[in-house]
Amino acid sequence: MDEAKNLEGIVLQSYPVRDSSRMVELFTRAKGRVSFMARGAKRDKSRFLNLSEPYVEGTFELVSGRSAYYIKNGVIENAHLGLRQSVGRLCVARFATEVLLGVLVDQPEEELYALYAMLLAVLEETPEERLSHVAAAYVLKLVSFAGFRPVLGRCAHCGKPVRLGEGFWDAEAGGVVDADHRAPTARRLSAADHATLVRYIREPLRAILTPYGSTEGDGRRLLGLCFGYYGVHTGRSVVSSLHMMKRLSLL
């Protein structure tokens, strides 16, 4: 294996290996997804205990072994402790990680890295009532960066403009369609829903923290539409955090 030293990255997830070690999945800016072994990371006094926790952002010094990378040292730059102050925030962070894993490949993904890092930062500030909106905007941006950007301003079938309040959401077709081309499974979009979907795509994640009042669509419904779109275009319609998202009334 190639040497991989001092990689900037974010821990996506980790799981136990043997009695005291952890295998860690790291999303790095330079190499994309990388896995490494953290020997002894489960011990209370291990210097790798915190470095191997999900959502920790930092610099990781890795060395190559015979069949895997091993961590030699590391520096935490942001532990995103604000996520752990809310069950809802933690659940959305896990959901965001799982949908990210559905599109990640083992190569650099600068846009996806920046989006995921921003999602974790924004989530720390997100009030409970805005979590569904932030999650929906993240999913729509994610599929767009992955090459499946939805058509929102015109009919995905014929290309004619679709005015707010007159469109239907058709994941199979690739976005919004007009009344003449709607399929039986297409969902009617209110003017507020349509405008909010456009906002999800155009505005940065942090802007989604600010409500649009009566002109804003329902976050839970829109997250359902966005996740359905993600499932159609990635082939991954079920993630393990889905049940908890529903139990917390986020989806």
Side-chain angles (χ1 to χ4, degrees):
M1 299 180 69
D2 296 331
E3 286 289 321
K5 291 186 176 180
N6 296 322
L7 291 173
E8 179 185 353
I10 306 170
V11 175
L12 296 173
Q13 57 188 1
S14 62
Y15 49 91
V17 178
R18 305 191 185 99
D19 292 334
S20 61
S21 299
R22 284 176 173 170
M23 182 62 73
V24 180
E25 283 194 64
L26 185 69
F27 187 18
T28 73
R29 189 182 293 276
K31 288 181 172 290
R33 182 168 56 178
V34 173
S35 295
F36 68 84
M37 176 80 76
R39 290 191 178 109
K42 292 170 60 181
R43 298 192 184 106
D44 290 341
K45 295 183 179 181
S46 171
R47 58 193 173 121
F48 301 139
L49 177 63
N50 293 328
L51 271 167
S52 59
E53 288 292 324
Y55 321 125
V56 164
E57 188 172 356
T59 302
F60 299 78
E61 183 180 355
L62 306 183
V63 295
S64 59
R66 183 172 302 175
S67 59
Y69 289 120
Y70 294 85
I71 186 168
K72 181 179 180 181
N73 209 341
V75 176
I76 295 176
E77 296 171 4
N78 192 339
H80 293 293
L81 296 178
L83 298 176
R84 290 153 175 86
Q85 297 174 4
S86 159
V87 174
R89 290 177 186 174
L90 271 178
C91 185
V92 173
R94 180 57 191 165
F95 174 77
T97 301
E98 289 187 301
V99 295
L100 173 68
L101 287 168
V103 300
L104 270 189
V105 293
D106 296 337
Q107 65 183 39
E109 297 278 0
E110 180 63 35
E111 288 182 322
L112 294 183
Y113 185 92
L115 176 65
Y116 184 66
M118 179 56 67
L119 181 278
L120 296 180
V122 168
L123 269 184
E124 292 189 273
E125 308 169 21
T126 304
E128 297 293 319
E129 66 272 14
R130 300 300 298 172
L131 286 172
S132 294
H133 280 292
V134 169
Y138 168 82
V139 172
L140 209 56
K141 291 177 185 298
L142 181 75
V143 292
S144 297
F145 289 147
F148 306 109
R149 185 185 178 97
V151 177
L152 295 176
R154 53 187 172 81
C155 177
H157 275 291
C158 67
K160 293 181 180 179
V162 177
R163 292 191 297 182
L164 298 182
E166 297 181 358
F168 296 79
W169 182 253
D170 188 337
E172 294 282 354
V176 173
V177 297
D178 60 24
D180 293 334
H181 296 94
R182 70 180 187 271
T185 56
R187 305 279 294 277
R188 183 67 181 260
L189 290 176
S190 68
D193 286 343
H194 195 163
T196 304
L197 287 170
V198 172
R199 186 184 177 208
Y200 288 164
I201 287 287
R202 292 182 177 176
E203 297 189 5
L205 272 178
R206 194 172 297 280
I208 307 301
L209 294 180
T210 304
Y212 263 31
S214 61
T215 62
E216 183 174 72
D218 178 75
R220 289 180 60 194
R221 178 173 186 266
L222 291 175
L223 177 54
L225 295 181
C226 292
F227 182 65
Y229 185 89
Y230 166 91
V232 166
H233 293 278
T234 65
R236 190 178 184 189
S237 58
V238 176
V239 294
S240 64
S241 56
L242 208 56
H243 178 66
M244 183 58 72
M245 290 285 287
K246 292 177 180 178
R247 285 195 63 184
L248 294 174
S249 298
L250 296 170
L251 181 61

